DNA sequence: TGGGAAATTTAGTTTAGCCTAAATTATATT
DNA sequence: AATATAATTTAGGCTAAACTAAATTTCCCA
């Protein structure tokens, strides 16, 4: 879509900052370092480079984390579009399962051309969701309307249907598969406990709701009914 | 197939050394530098690293170029398998044409997993030739029998059918398309001139053979009839 | 066989991106 | 408000992989 020059490392930083801004509200040095598995000192160095690049890709004030500039945002969305199209393609066309696509897409996303991006999108009929239920930015890098809501944004007691679970935690995955439920196809009723952040799941055709002993993380998305 | 650790740069060097050894008989510093578009000095530096790696990937004697060790050969063939499978996949599955696949494959070849390699191979029915007619090493990295012959290996006057042209020169490509012939589908009779190395092509349904004003290079392959 | 051109290597720099250790700034607790 | 702890930045260094310029080796030919 736009001009390049960006290294793999830089694209990873931009993607991470974008992601953290969405989920945590801000992208701090330490969180970025965690996500990328580098030291905080390395993050500081890179953020400074990105902020003094031409054009700047992040806005930066010492000790207060990073925000993407419009240019940085565009670059991030480009990588995210690559990633999610690739995940979808690997699943639909090459028979990957749901949980195998991520690592592969994480490497491919940096090297595919706009030409390949477009051919993949076409061959899939320009999908708007990837296999995890995450939205795929369109050709103009706009995110589609999203019916998903962050679990942590639900009011306690509010109910929601889990038709798909975006980026589920390993614990949730393990549990769902232990009851024979594949997250992309299963259906359950959730509510957020009023007393704590544990997940409470009502399985269809089962009498009792199940309380999962795991924290509600901001990475879990559900569809409100 | 085997262990990794190899950088993109190293894989490119190994691939180039393999290629040059096949076509030129040897891989000299300057030829490698040309192919990779780096300076000869950089090549010397890298060859020395590859030779003193553990295990060594090339055998190196100062001022006498590089030869791949069995380890280096294996690594090169792995990359070549990736490259040629990807070219085939891009053409068959995503509708790329013949001449668009190379650059894309050149970047993807370094990042696909063995898993993806295998899925692509399976989905294509384990092909043994890529869209250029080049052989694809099998899972065990053995090259299949090859019916292609280097044009420069033909005896003067010997005739051959061009069903495909492997790695054609830009001049040949331009000519072939100017007469409406797509190399993968067209058919012509070639013979090597007795007086020089120019290409002589007899087109079906045309009375006179055409003599192309271009050198026979070692990159042009034809199928002997 | 000696000498010049071409090929190759050495030496010394550069840039990207990471690291550790130490210093600094922000936040939280009492 | 004082200070302990957590978060962040600075300083200095390392490796991979490129570069330029200079030195060296090989090769070929008169």
């Amino acid at each position: 879509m736009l001009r390049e020059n960006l290294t793999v490392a830089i694209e990873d930083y931009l993607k991470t900052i974008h992601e953290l801004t969405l989920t945590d509200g801000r992208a701090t040095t330490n969180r970025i370092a965690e996500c990328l598995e580098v030291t905080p000192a390395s993050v500081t160095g890179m953020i400074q480079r990105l902020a003094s690049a031409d054009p700047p890709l992040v806005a930066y004030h010492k000790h207060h984390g990073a925000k993407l500039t419009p240019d940085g945002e565009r670059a991030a969305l480009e990588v995210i579009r690559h990633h999610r199209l690739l995940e979808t393609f690997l699943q639909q066309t090459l028979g990957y399962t749901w949980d195998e696509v991520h690592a592969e897409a994480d490497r491919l996303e940096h090297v595919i051309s706009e030409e390949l991006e477009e051919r993949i999108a076409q061959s899939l009929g320009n999908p708007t969701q990837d296999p995890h239920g995450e939205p795929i930015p369109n050709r103009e890098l706009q995110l589609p309307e999203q019916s998903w809501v962050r679990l942590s944004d639900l009011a306690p007691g509010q109910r929601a249907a889990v038709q798909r679970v975006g980026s589920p935690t390993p614990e949730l995955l393990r549990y769902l598969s232990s009851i024979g439920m594949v997250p992309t196809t299963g259906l359950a009723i959730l509510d957020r406990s009023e007393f704590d952040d544990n997940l409470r799941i009502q399985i269809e055709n089962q009498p009792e709701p199940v309380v999962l002993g795991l924290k509600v993380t901001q990475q879990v998305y559900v569809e409100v009914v």
Side-chain angles (χ1 to χ4, degrees), chain A residues 10-202:
Chain A
I10 289 176
E11 289 185 348
D12 279 336
Y13 275 91
L14 295 177
K15 196 175 57 152
T16 300
I17 293 168
H18 176 92
E19 183 66 18
L20 287 175
T21 304
L22 274 189
T23 59
D24 293 10
R26 66 216 184 92
T28 65
T29 303
N30 275 12
R31 292 287 287 120
I32 296 169
E34 261 178 60
C35 292
L36 293 174
E37 300 184 292
V38 299
T39 62
S42 303
V43 174
T44 298
M46 180 60 95
I47 289 177
Q48 289 172 348
R49 285 211 300 126
L50 296 178
S52 57
D54 178 37
L57 299 170
V58 309
Y60 172 61
H61 299 305
K62 276 189 194 178
H63 295 278
H64 294 283
K67 293 233 179 303
L68 294 177
T69 62
D71 283 308
E73 181 79 10
R74 230 170 332 126
L77 285 170
E78 184 68 53
V79 180
I80 288 166
R81 174 167 161 84
H82 286 183
H83 183 92
R84 294 182 182 166
L85 281 172
L86 282 163
E87 288 192 335
T88 310
F89 185 78
L90 292 172
Q91 197 212 25
Q92 307 274 357
T93 307
L94 285 167
Y96 271 77
T97 64
W98 195 85
D99 51 311
E100 293 170 333
V101 292
H102 185 78
E104 196 80 49
D106 250 358
R107 281 172 283 112
L108 291 167
E109 66 189 7
H110 304 291
V111 303
I112 69 174
S113 64
E114 293 306 294
E115 171 75 18
L116 182 50
E117 168 195 314
E118 183 57 26
R119 281 180 189 267
I120 287 174
Q122 293 255 319
S123 87
L124 295 169
N126 298 299
T128 59
Q129 295 213 166
D130 75 8
H132 302 293
E134 303 284 348
I136 303 176
N138 68 14
R139 212 178 275 97
E140 284 73 37
L141 303 181
Q142 296 147 340
L143 284 165
E145 278 311 309
Q146 181 72 343
S147 60
W148 300 99
V149 156
R150 223 171 280 162
L151 186 54
S152 51
D153 288 343
L154 287 179
Q158 187 178 3
R159 298 169 76 81
V162 180
Q163 287 172 352
R164 278 189 253 198
V165 179
S167 306
T169 60
E171 291 89 346
L172 181 55
L173 256 186
R174 244 195 308 282
Y175 174 74
L176 291 174
S177 86
S178 79
I179 61 172
M181 208 179 99
V182 179
T184 46
T185 60
L187 180 68
I189 305 297
L190 270 191
D191 75 302
R192 188 176 173 194
S193 162
E194 281 155 56
F195 309 109
D196 54 39
D197 274 346
N198 284 335
L199 222 51
R200 189 160 306 205
I201 299 191
Q202 170 75 58

